[in-house]
Amino acid sequence: MSAPAHPPVTWLYVPGDRPERFGKAVASGADVVIIDLEDAVAPARKDEARENAVAYLRERPDGGVLHVRVNDPATARGRDDLAAVAGLADAVRLPKVESTGVLDALTGAPAYALLESAAGIVNAREIAAHPSVAGVALGEQDLASELGITDEQAMNHLRLQVVLAAAAAGLPPVPMSVYPDVKDEAGLLASCRAGRAIGMFGRTAIHPRQIPAIRRAFRPGEEETARAAEIVAAAERAEQAGLGAVALPDGRFVDAPIVARARRTLALARHLAEPPAQAPPTGT
């Protein structure tokens, strides 16, 4: 199977103790569905949630890309979660990662490390470079609470550190954390666009209604798409003429990384031009 032209845009959490919602989450059109065994599940129902996740992952009746957020892997419950799902999920999401130590014993599915503390941010480069890590993301609510941050510029400073760590490790761009107000579409759009401007890409959602707004926010605009098409067309003309340099109609030259980015922009614009593909109804 060829690699996708772009990373996932939408990631949707679904509580592990609500198995009747698993199929609906897949049918929402989210690029990735994350069965949550951690924050969304009350302590008394965590064993039940794990059993639900295992049963669904074994059958996969609705298809889709399925990740599981386990409990803190430094705890016995988190280790039991990993033992149960790592061989079944497409990836596991590890909360509260603060060092590479917890990553060394991982086997099975690729891991997404969630950085939710000061220690996690300080060690972001080492964590991102670990061979078991397929991606990193921020747990912004926990992080802001620990540090007492209320200023968006201060939070952007932390976000940029993680964006840089992921890029240096050759990982996909960092997706944004959840936007907690599911009714505030305007705020969600503005927040997504601000995140995109500092190098973040895609976003986790806590409700299917957030998915269209996230897709819209990360879809390249008309001007950006037109510019990308101009660059790709110039590159194709240069290739046909046997030229190494790519000249735009206005006389400016662009190099290979700019052309590659333009191709990715066009692919993303095509992907997000239509509503997300809907899975068949599950009857749940």
Side-chain angles (χ1 to χ4, degrees), residues 37-129:
L37 307 184
E38 195 210 14
D39 286 348
V41 180
R45 303 191 68 176
K46 285 185 180 288
D47 289 343
E48 174 190 347
R50 183 197 300 147
E51 293 170 2
N52 293 337
V54 168
Y56 189 75
L57 289 166
R58 282 177 175 161
E59 297 296 328
R60 289 180 175 259
D62 309 297
V65 178
L66 302 175
H67 292 192
V68 177
R69 180 166 71 172
V70 300
N71 286 280
D72 184 349
T75 67
R77 183 176 293 281
R79 290 189 292 271
D80 288 346
D81 289 343
L82 283 170
V85 306
L88 300 171
D90 296 311
V92 292
R93 297 176 75 83
L94 307 179
K96 303 174 175 61
V97 176
E98 296 189 332
S99 71
T100 58
V102 75
L103 303 170
D104 291 335
L106 288 178
T107 59
Y112 283 76
L114 305 182
L115 310 180
E116 306 181 82
S117 66
I121 299 299
V122 169
N123 295 319
R125 293 194 182 191
E126 291 78 12
I127 292 167

Side-chain angles (χ1 to χ4, degrees), residues 158-225:
L158 302 180
R159 291 169 180 145
L160 283 168
Q161 290 187 56
V162 180
V163 168
L164 182 60
L171 298 179
V174 178
M176 300 182 71
S177 296
V178 298
Y179 190 81
D181 188 343
V182 299
K183 295 182 179 180
D184 182 12
E185 182 174 310
L188 173 60
L189 282 167
S191 176
C192 287
R193 288 167 178 156
R196 185 175 180 230
I198 61 170
M200 305 185 85
F201 183 84
R203 189 161 205 159
T204 50
I206 54 175
H207 194 284
R209 73 168 62 176
Q210 295 178 312
I211 290 174
I214 294 171
R215 287 172 60 90
R216 189 157 68 251
F218 285 95
R219 184 173 63 219
E222 291 183 8
E223 183 176 344
E224 183 181 359
T225 302

